Amino acid sequence: MKSIGRIILSVALVALPLVNAITPEGMLAAPRRGVAQANPSGDFAIYTKTNYSFEDQQATTVWEQLNLKSGGISTWTTDSNITEVVFVGPSSTSILYINATNEEGDGGISLYTADATRLSSAKFVASLPAPFSGLKAVATKSGDIHFLMFASAYPNGTAYNADLAETPASTARIYTDIYVRHWDAYLTPQRNAVFGGILTKRNGTSSQGNYAFRGKLTNYVTGKCNATCAESPVGPMGGSGDYDISPDGSQVVFLTKNIDLPLANFTSSQIYWVPFSGSVNDSVPINPIGATPGAEGASGSPTFSKDGSKVAYFQMNGIFYESDRNIIYVADADRNNFNVTSVAGDWDRSPDVLAWSNDDSILYVAAPDLGRERVFPVPINAAADYKPTNITDEGVPAGMQVLANGQILISDSKIWSS
């Protein structure tokens, strides 16, 4: 196997020669960095950095830029209204980003396109009337941009906005089943759903900022019901890792609890495939119970391969508790035959982060290992008895990205920083 370069984003910003030099205040005030996202050419990466000030009693967030050639770090923007950024568009510095506010001031968001090197030239694209998040976007062959986001949705499928919702006369709640709360969140009639939309080229060109929102968002999740109804991301802790869009923008996968089983008794979840141009009625499960021997428990991290022909994900065997180990699975992105196979199925580790290699022959996964969280390359055709070898030792990877040159950008997390 060829050598693999790696970059660890997280570094301690102050010298801490003694363990007792880390005070509780110092730990809480230390910078918390988000997962770094590199531009397509691998020249630089951007990420958020949040610091808490005990003097001001508030947290401040800025965006920083990491030069992946020199390692230099600089401020990218201090605009904290920019909450999410995706590199997509006609050049390696083209971006689409979420602004946490909109002109209407109704609790919604707005979308902008820009060049990451000239953020002041950003172009307004759309105002959306709900607090959408979890942006994922890809450029299609035609030059249009297909994107996904999620938000809470009413049972009729429209996005929920707490700022526009009618205030109930009472805070009392009535439940018709025994599953009323998950962790510290009580269930509501509104559930998370994945929405898809299209930004179309204006005047036949996809030059920077020259896009228009087509005006329609498709809900791929709400309305898929049996014993319970589908929800993606799975609340209250699910996020954008519960769904993905294929590199060509033609397919969507999302994770939901098993709609055929009562939520109070089982932790089983399934990955659904749906065409981007379709609807919730076109969605089909990749891993229904019985399709893959033993695989009945909680699923996670559905991720398309670089060529869009396969989907990798994790799944546990145990159906009653989310305490079993994750097993790696790879499925063909073919609704007529998903052909699900396990990868290194007997490996006694429980991976929880994954990324495809550029040639789609290897999955890089992070898994707890001997008191650490290490990164392991695993061939997608690995037999059940294959034992992966780690390529990192220290830290806890919060995210990974395989760069164009084959190196891996790893966002690392520490208890005193990230």
Side-chain angles (χ1 to χ4, degrees):
M1 183 182 298
K2 62 184 179 182
S3 62
I4 300 170
R6 59 189 177 94
I7 299 171
I8 302 297
L9 171 63
S10 177
V11 293
L13 296 186
V14 293
L16 297 173
L18 299 175
V19 173
N20 60 13
I22 307 177
T23 64
E25 291 81 5
M27 185 179 296
L28 293 173
R32 301 290 184 238
R33 298 179 178 88
V35 173
Q37 181 181 186
N39 73 319
S41 60
D43 297 319
F44 65 92
I46 57 176
Y47 57 90
T48 57
K49 185 184 76 170
T50 301
N51 288 83
Y52 181 79
S53 168
F54 280 91
E55 181 178 343
D56 299 332
Q57 295 190 3
Q58 66 179 4
T60 302
T61 298
V62 300
W63 285 82
E64 292 190 333
Q65 178 174 312
L66 170 67
N67 187 312
L68 296 178
K69 308 299 183 183
S70 67
I73 295 175
S74 59
T75 299
W76 183 61
T77 180
T78 58
D79 186 353
S80 59
N81 283 323
I82 298 178
T83 56
E84 298 181 32
V85 179
V86 174
F87 284 97
V88 64
S91 76
S92 65
T93 56
S94 298
I95 60 172
L96 173 68
Y97 70 81
I98 292 178
N99 187 294
T101 62
N102 59 9
E103 291 184 355
E104 295 80 359
D106 59 3
I109 64 160
S110 46
L111 294 177
Y112 287 80
T113 57
D115 187 302
T117 63
R118 298 189 304 274
L119 197 56
S120 60
S121 64
K123 304 293 185 182
F124 171 79
V125 177
S127 175
L128 303 177
F132 290 94
S133 60
L135 178 64
K136 293 190 174 186
V138 297
T140 66
K141 187 178 296 185
S142 68
D144 293 344
I145 293 176
H146 288 186
F147 66 90
L148 299 178
M149 292 186 291
F150 78 90
S152 291
Y154 289 102
N156 66 5
T158 59
Y160 171 76
N161 184 339
D163 287 4
L164 300 179
E166 182 179 350
T167 302
S170 170
T171 58
R173 303 181 183 209
I174 299 175
Y175 290 89
T176 57
D177 58 48
I178 63 172
Y179 192 76
V180 302
R181 179 177 61 85
H182 188 55
W183 294 104
D184 61 348
Y186 281 87
L187 272 65
T188 68
Q190 301 83 35
R191 298 192 178 189
N192 289 336
V194 180
F195 292 79
I198 299 175
L199 303 183
T200 306
K201 298 183 303 180
R202 282 178 175 165
N203 303 321
T205 176
S206 59
S207 61
Q208 186 58 58
N210 215 356
Y211 292 95
F213 176 47
R214 190 168 289 184
K216 176 186 177 183
L217 290 174
T218 300
N219 184 328
Y220 298 108
V221 179
T222 305
K224 198 82 175 179
C225 300
N226 190 9
T228 187
C229 291
E231 179 182 28
S232 186
V234 176
M237 294 175 289
S240 60
D242 284 358
Y243 56 89
D244 199 19
I245 184 170
S246 62
D248 66 355
S250 66
Q251 308 169 79
V252 174
V253 287
F254 65 86
L255 162 71
T256 179
K257 291 286 189 177
N258 192 322
I259 64 171
D260 300 320
L261 298 173
L263 293 174
N265 304 94
F266 301 93
T267 56
S268 175
S269 60
Q270 296 176 336
I271 312 293
Y272 277 78
W273 176 97
V274 62
F276 183 87
S277 59
S279 68
V280 63
N281 296 324
D282 301 306
S283 62
V284 291
I286 291 177
N287 57 335
I289 289 180
T292 306
E296 299 182 339
S299 307
S301 303
T303 308
F304 278 103
S305 59
K306 297 295 180 72
D307 67 2
S309 67
K310 296 184 182 298
V311 179
Y313 63 93
F314 304 127
Q315 188 168 15
M316 300 178 182
N317 285 340
I319 197 172
F320 298 106
Y321 300 98
E322 295 173 344
S323 57
D324 203 349
R325 68 181 176 91
N326 282 327
I327 297 174
I328 307 168
Y329 289 92
V330 173
D332 291 337
D334 179 0
R335 69 173 301 156
N336 296 314
N337 182 16
F338 289 116
N339 188 31
V340 178
T341 58
S342 63
V343 179
D346 294 339
W347 186 32
D348 63 349
R349 298 294 185 268
S350 185
D352 49 23
V353 180
L354 68 82
W356 286 87
S357 64
N358 288 328
D359 63 2
D360 290 332
S361 66
I362 294 173
L363 285 170
Y364 295 101
V365 300
D369 180 56
L370 303 177
R372 302 289 189 273
E373 177 101 359
R374 294 177 166 130
V375 176
F376 300 80
V378 185
I380 65 169
N381 59 357
D385 60 355
Y386 181 81
K387 294 183 179 180
T389 300
N390 60 293
I391 58 173
T392 66
D393 286 309
E394 299 298 325
V396 177
M400 294 186 291
Q401 182 181 353
V402 179
L403 305 180
N405 62 5
Q407 292 183 321
I408 307 173
L409 176 64
I410 299 175
S411 299
D412 184 47
S413 179
K414 296 287 193 296
I415 190 171
W416 64 84
S417 183
S418 61

